Amino acid sequence: MQTNTPPRSTIQLTRRGRLALIATGAVVAGTAVAVPLLTLGTDGVNKPDTLVILEGWRAGQVYEAVDKVLALPAGTTKKSLGKANLKLPNDAEGNPEGYLFPATYPLQEKATPEQLLAFMVDTANKKFNGAPIAAGAQRNAMNVYQAVTIASIVEAEATAKADMGKVARVIFNRLERGMPLQMDSTINYALGRSTLKTTEADTRINNPYNSYQRMGLPPTPIGNPGEDAMRAAINPVPGDWLYFITVKPGDTRFTADYAEHQRNVAEFNRNHRRSSAAAG
């Protein structure tokens, strides 16, 4: 088992097989807002009757979705936070990130942003503060807020539900060894983007969410995890893994051996070059 951390410029712990350090510029992937289900109102106009919040969405995406479904000016929901009276844990310091629980929410006739945000947070508290999650967090020597933070990273990094427990174990193993997490997802959150590539310059930004430079967990969750990610965060699969990469779709490889990981990275690069050539 490898216990020393290789040079930071060579560690790769990312989603969908992308390299952690690529000399080219970042490619930003757009983030779509789910379209709520629609019903025909009494006045003959299509009106939304539900709001769909997807697993892994960041708070900003949730605010945008609420503005859209309630036909409000952009930014209205975010501005409503101060009067929403959300029941958040003290560690959150008023930031609902991680507690806007992903689900399908019914829309009342005169729904407000404050009501919808409170509904999401109340749902999260019911899910997170129950015996399974709270006891699982305690069993792993952390509080619920830390478990939500880990689950948010798992949600962002795992390409498949089956890999979530292993991604969680990588996070725990790195924390226990005093290694930086070095997750691209935290840098994406710091920069307010979703990208397939992280450059070396990105990993040097001065930001509390830069897990290449900062030790431990980021200061808040980096998205709103669903139940599968939460279960993975409190029940990580046993293993000694420290690295992972998705070599090709459906083939994510986990290892504790850095040399093996480098071979996996090389295979990914070969696959990537072939795919790029075929596309070109």
Side-chain angles (χ1 to χ4, degrees), residues 11-26:
I11 292 178
Q12 196 283 337
L13 286 169
T14 62
R15 189 179 186 188
R16 295 174 184 164
R18 59 186 182 273
L19 292 178
L21 297 174
I22 300 178
T24 59

Side-chain angles (χ1 to χ4, degrees), residues 238-255:
D240 60 357
W241 310 292
L242 294 172
Y243 317 98
F244 62 90
I245 186 170
T246 300
V247 175
K248 58 185 178 182
D251 183 7
T252 300
R253 300 179 187 176
F254 294 79
T255 181

Side-chain angles (χ1 to χ4, degrees), residues 186-248:
T186 65
I187 291 181
N188 283 340
Y189 187 80
L191 297 175
R193 70 185 189 190
S194 295
T195 181
L196 300 178
K197 297 179 181 179
T198 297
T199 68
E200 187 172 359
D202 292 337
T203 67
R204 294 195 299 266
I205 63 172
N206 181 19
N207 189 287
Y209 291 91
N210 182 356
S211 63
Y212 280 79
Q213 300 291 338
R214 306 293 179 94
M215 301 297 292
L217 294 174
T220 72
I222 61 168
N224 295 281
E227 293 186 273
D228 290 332
M230 283 300 299
R231 281 193 288 267
I234 62 170
N235 294 299
V237 176
D240 60 357
W241 310 292
L242 294 172
Y243 317 98
F244 62 90
I245 186 170
T246 300
V247 175
K248 58 185 178 182

Side-chain angles (χ1 to χ4, degrees), residues 1-6 11-13 166 169-171 173-174 177 179 237-245 252-264:
M1 179 188 305
Q2 183 169 338
T3 56
N4 294 327
T5 308
I11 292 178
Q12 196 283 337
L13 286 169
K166 289 184 176 181
R169 176 54 66 188
V170 170
I171 294 172
N173 286 346
R174 283 182 159 263
R177 288 163 175 74
M179 298 169 67
V237 176
D240 60 357
W241 310 292
L242 294 172
Y243 317 98
F244 62 90
I245 186 170
T252 300
R253 300 179 187 176
F254 294 79
T255 181
D257 182 78
Y258 183 63
E260 180 181 356
H261 176 65
Q262 286 296 88
R263 291 192 292 272
N264 291 337

Side-chain angles (χ1 to χ4, degrees), residues 58-256:
R58 299 171 187 164
Q61 292 171 284
V62 175
Y63 304 152
E64 182 182 352
V66 174
D67 285 343
K68 182 177 180 180
V69 77
L70 297 183
L72 297 171
T76 299
T77 299
K78 185 175 182 179
K79 292 176 183 176
S80 74
L81 285 174
K83 53 184 178 180
N85 193 29
L86 303 178
K87 296 179 176 61
L88 296 166
N90 291 334
D91 288 346
E93 298 183 349
N95 182 352
E97 191 72 88
Y99 280 74
L100 302 173
F101 193 78
T104 299
Y105 294 94
L107 292 179
Q108 303 300 323
E109 182 69 22
K110 297 181 179 180
T112 67
E114 295 89 343
Q115 291 170 343
L116 288 173
L117 293 176
F119 196 173
M120 295 174 203
V121 172
D122 289 347
T123 302
N125 283 326
K126 290 176 182 176
K127 297 285 187 180
F128 299 161
N129 295 332
I133 300 298
Q138 186 176 23
R139 185 174 63 249
N140 287 284
M142 58 183 173
N143 62 32
V144 171
Y145 192 72
Q146 291 169 322
V148 174
T149 300
I150 290 174
S152 72
I153 299 173
V154 170
E155 190 78 69
E157 292 285 341
T159 59
K161 176 182 174 181
D163 291 332
M164 285 184 169
K166 289 184 176 181
V167 172
R169 176 54 66 188
V170 170
I171 294 172
F172 276 97
N173 286 346
R174 283 182 159 263
L175 292 173
E176 289 168 359
R177 288 163 175 74
M179 298 169 67
L181 293 183
Q182 297 187 313
M183 299 276 178
D184 286 4
S185 56
T186 65
I187 291 181
N188 283 340
Y189 187 80
L191 297 175
R193 70 185 189 190
S194 295
T195 181
L196 300 178
K197 297 179 181 179
T198 297
T199 68
E200 187 172 359
D202 292 337
T203 67
R204 294 195 299 266
I205 63 172
N206 181 19
N207 189 287
Y209 291 91
N210 182 356
S211 63
Y212 280 79
Q213 300 291 338
R214 306 293 179 94
M215 301 297 292
L217 294 174
T220 72
I222 61 168
N224 295 281
E227 293 186 273
D228 290 332
M230 283 300 299
R231 281 193 288 267
I234 62 170
N235 294 299
V237 176
D240 60 357
W241 310 292
L242 294 172
Y243 317 98
F244 62 90
I245 186 170
T246 300
V247 175
K248 58 185 178 182
D251 183 7
T252 300
R253 300 179 187 176
F254 294 79
T255 181

